Amino acid sequence: MTKQPLIISTDPGIDDIAAMTISLFASEFDVKMLVPTWGNVALEYTLQNTLNLEEFLHTKVPVVAGANQPLVAPMISAASVHGKTGVAGYDFPEANEQLLVPGLAATLMHNAIMDSPKKVTLLGIGPLTDFALLIKQYPNVVENIAQIVIMGGNIGRGNHSPLAEYNIAGDPEAAQVVFHSGVEIKVAPLEIGNKTHITPQQMEEIKNCGEVGKMLYGLFSHIKEPDGDPRIKIFDPTAVALILCPEAFVIKKARVEIELAGRFTYGASVIDFMSGQPNAEVAVDVDLEKFSRWFTNSINQADQGIK
């Protein structure tokens, strides 16, 4: 089986850790690069969290420091949800910078994508700043991008503001660049993450998935949802599942535009399922049983991978 080349832009963040862990050990992926960016917390933390995760997992994927702020918007933070460093709930081994590759993320991503004999998939599970910089700086790169898969946006209400989801609200201008790139885009919006919550029974199953399961159990147990919902929501892995377990989703074509000028709606995702000019495929429903089975099996596979 030919593996799918993958570059991950991430802002770990608890659910980012789960998404990266699954991706690093998925037999379908050849992860070329991890690009931590500002997002849930500042870049200094997301970068160290990425390096620490690889130390824990014993993986050797190159890490490239991404953007430390949005293109235009003031920087926001989700430290109240994920903890000051982004990964409250588990003490990772402190990693050195051995895997850190010096250079600008846009340039290094461009080089990796253009050098790849197979088109590369981009996975965006944080603000899309670095993907926007890549596309603007190197517009020819879109020719060798297979698809961009995003966890972000919202069909209805938001979780950062009444009408804006956090990842898109973090850098609305970057998101608009990505949605206008002409690349095939798949979206796991906020509503899908809200549905794929973890029950107490599933938490126990995860806890029993070896060292990886214990790590994720510790992280998930410390998530504090802003709305006070006691259920644990795992947003970022839904984007990975869109690639690896598409049968779990109902997907519809849509035109996605990002609101950049609204006083109260800045960063909102305007998702039009009636448009005759779609630029994305958006997940609108999920089979929770299929997703949960895939999720638990993926954690088990990752645990086997580190042994």
Side-chain angles (χ1 to χ4, degrees), residues 58-85:
H58 310 302
T59 51
K60 302 294 182 184
V61 174
V63 176
V64 176
N68 65 1
Q69 59 186 303
L71 296 179
V72 177
M75 192 160 50
I76 60 178
S77 172
S80 61
V81 177
H82 296 267
K84 178 183 177 181
T85 66

Side-chain angles (χ1 to χ4, degrees), residues 183-239:
V183 176
E184 179 180 318
I185 297 175
K186 292 185 174 70
V187 181
L190 182 67
E191 287 78 5
I192 296 300
N194 285 334
K195 288 184 178 181
T196 55
H197 56 266
I198 301 176
T199 65
Q201 179 182 353
Q202 290 167 325
M203 281 288 284
E204 289 303 313
E205 291 179 12
I206 290 169
K207 187 178 181 180
N208 292 323
C209 292
E211 292 303 312
V212 170
K214 291 176 184 176
M215 177 267 290
L216 293 175
Y217 176 87
L219 293 175
F220 292 154
S221 298
H222 280 73
I223 290 179
K224 296 180 177 63
E225 293 292 348
D227 59 5
D229 192 333
R231 298 174 301 178
I232 299 168
K233 302 166 188 174
I234 47 167
F235 296 99
D236 290 335
T238 61

Side-chain angles (χ1 to χ4, degrees), residues 40-296:
N40 284 315
V41 289
L43 177 61
E44 64 177 302
Y45 295 121
T46 63
L47 176 57
Q48 191 62 53
N49 292 343
T50 302
L51 294 169
N52 291 353
L53 176 65
E54 289 220 75
E55 180 76 14
F56 171 78
L57 296 175
H58 310 302
T59 51
K60 302 294 182 184
V61 174
V63 176
V64 176
N68 65 1
Q69 59 186 303
L71 296 179
V72 177
M75 192 160 50
I76 60 178
S77 172
S80 61
V81 177
H82 296 267
K84 178 183 177 181
T85 66
V87 289
Y90 191 83
D91 292 326
F92 284 96
E94 191 78 9
N96 58 32
E97 297 184 352
Q98 183 178 355
L99 294 178
L100 185 61
V101 179
L104 293 173
T107 299
L108 294 172
M109 284 191 290
H110 166 265
N111 293 345
I113 292 167
M114 299 310 291
D115 288 344
S116 175
K118 186 175 181 180
K119 289 189 175 185
V120 177
T121 291
L122 304 184
L123 176 65
I125 51 177
L128 297 172
T129 311
D130 285 302
F131 287 168
L133 290 169
L134 167 68
I135 291 163
K136 281 295 190 182
Q137 186 69 27
Y138 302 102
N140 66 314
V141 78
V142 299
E143 300 170 4
N144 216 32
I145 298 175
Q147 59 181 345
I148 302 174
V149 183
I150 297 165
M151 188 281 121
N154 51 298
I155 300 168
R157 307 297 286 185
N159 66 343
H160 173 69
S161 70
L163 294 177
E165 179 274 332
Y166 187 88
N167 282 347
I168 301 299
D171 198 337
E173 285 78 11
Q176 184 75 337
V177 168
V178 170
F179 279 106
H180 280 256
S181 66
V183 176
E184 179 180 318
I185 297 175
K186 292 185 174 70
V187 181
L190 182 67
E191 287 78 5
I192 296 300
N194 285 334
K195 288 184 178 181
T196 55
H197 56 266
I198 301 176
T199 65
Q201 179 182 353
Q202 290 167 325
M203 281 288 284
E204 289 303 313
E205 291 179 12
I206 290 169
K207 187 178 181 180
N208 292 323
C209 292
E211 292 303 312
V212 170
K214 291 176 184 176
M215 177 267 290
L216 293 175
Y217 176 87
L219 293 175
F220 292 154
S221 298
H222 280 73
I223 290 179
K224 296 180 177 63
E225 293 292 348
D227 59 5
D229 192 333
R231 298 174 301 178
I232 299 168
K233 302 166 188 174
I234 47 167
F235 296 99
D236 290 335
T238 61
V240 183
L242 266 184
I243 306 171
L244 299 183
C245 189
E247 63 273 15
F249 299 92
V250 176
I251 299 172
K252 292 184 178 181
K253 292 183 179 181
R255 181 78 186 180
V256 181
E257 301 285 350
I258 308 302
E259 176 57 63
L260 301 180
R263 179 180 176 189
F264 299 109
T265 57
Y266 179 59
S269 303
V270 182
I271 301 180
D272 182 3
F273 293 103
M274 299 177 66
S275 172
Q277 297 179 309
N279 61 354
E281 293 182 317
V282 180
V284 297
D285 203 358
V286 60
D287 184 319
L288 191 53
E289 183 178 344
K290 286 182 181 178
F291 176 86
S292 298
R293 186 165 56 248
W294 168 83
F295 186 66
T296 304

